[in-house]
């Protein structure tokens, strides 16, 4: 419940990769960053961000099958890290976001 995800590939023709296959693996991270509305993570298959238009504490956007990491923003916002493999997401957060401020939309 702490993750919002678009259908991803192959359901969405614009998605640049699968999204739902990562839900179980990313659930602990999503719970850790959950905002007041209970959502901590948005996984978007492309830069449109259809599944969640507003800001989220963590947004992962698939680009060419890898993840761009946006903090306290949406799929259209500038990432703090780009081209990450799934295993690189948490270390990138730890390195780049020591004292993450609450998401403004929450």
């Amino acid at each position: 419940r702490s993750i919002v995800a678009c259908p991803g590939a192959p359901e969405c023709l614009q998605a640049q990769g699968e999204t739902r296959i990562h839900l179980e693996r990313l659930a602990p991270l999503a719970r850790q960053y959950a905002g007041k509305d209970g959502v901590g993570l948005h996984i978007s298959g492309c830069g449109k961000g259809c599944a969640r238009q507003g800001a989220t504490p963590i947004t992962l956007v698939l680009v060419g099958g890898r993840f761009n990491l946006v903090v306290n923003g949406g799929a259209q916002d500038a990432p703090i890290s780009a081209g990450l493999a799934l295993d690189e997401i948490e270390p990138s957060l730890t390195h780049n976001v020591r004292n993450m401020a609450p998401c403004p939309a929450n």
Side-chain angles (χ1 to χ4, degrees):
R1 294 185 183 215
S2 55
I3 301 176
V4 173
C6 81
E11 287 85 4
C12 177
L13 297 177
Q14 294 184 12
Q16 297 194 24
E18 293 181 84
T19 56
R20 294 179 179 176
I21 63 169
H22 305 297
L23 297 180
E24 186 175 332
R25 173 110 183 257
L26 293 170
L29 181 67
R31 286 190 294 273
Q32 179 182 347
Y33 288 97
K36 291 179 186 175
D37 66 355
V39 177
L41 175 64
H42 170 200
I43 304 174
S44 185
C46 72
K48 288 175 30 181
C50 297
R52 184 170 173 101
Q53 294 297 309
T56 304
I58 300 169
T59 299
L60 298 174
V61 182
L62 279 162
V63 177
R66 295 181 71 87
F67 294 98
N68 286 356
L69 171 63
V70 177
V71 173
N72 290 334
Q76 303 86 5
D77 293 322
I80 62 165
S81 295
L84 300 172
L86 188 63
D87 292 339
E88 298 172 316
I89 294 168
E90 283 191 80
S92 183
L93 273 170
T94 302
H95 178 73
N96 288 302
V97 188
R98 301 225 187 274
N99 296 307
M100 194 168 103
C103 184
N106 291 330

